[in-house]
Amino acid sequence: VFMCPLFVFLFVFSICSESLNTYVLLAMLGMMGILVGGPNNIITSAVAADLASHPSVRGNNKSLGTVTGLINGTGAITASVGLLAIGPLSKAYGWSAVWIFLMGCTAAGTLLMSPKIYQELCPPKEIDAEKVIV
């Protein structure tokens, strides 16, 4: 849900960022920040919840904390690498290329999360043991 409006904002930025009013740009950037922050927190929480139910970490809070920290650290490193690409990309191809790059990152992240999203939206149906004929 968050990624669809974010993708639209990024598309508008890629087309009109040079011609929009400064206040409109600031409002859109603020909305994009909100749209990115929500999924980040949701993903981190979902991964931590999934790990808490895994047999190898169940009952061991130290291990769960370590794995959750590694997940957050990996996300931070990935974000910083993405930010390092923005400078050279904007100098070589302009700001439109930056917004298109971020659209690609948004699409890739959404696609990578799609199996989990599908699992949450369409959980497997439980089979009633009494109705099964052997």
Side-chain angles (χ1 to χ4, degrees), residues 53-116:
S53 65
H54 195 272
S56 64
V57 219
R58 190 176 293 140
N60 190 345
N61 289 337
K62 188 174 181 181
S63 296
L64 181 60
T66 301
V67 172
T68 304
L70 287 171
I71 290 167
N72 282 333
T74 304
I77 290 170
T78 305
S80 64
V81 169
L83 289 175
L84 288 174
I86 289 176
L89 193 61
S90 68
K91 284 182 182 177
Y93 303 105
W95 281 101
S96 293
V98 171
W99 303 118
I100 292 170
F101 168 72
L102 292 174
M103 286 171 60
C105 291
T106 302
T110 304
L111 287 174
L112 289 170
M113 284 300 296
S114 61
K116 185 68 177 165

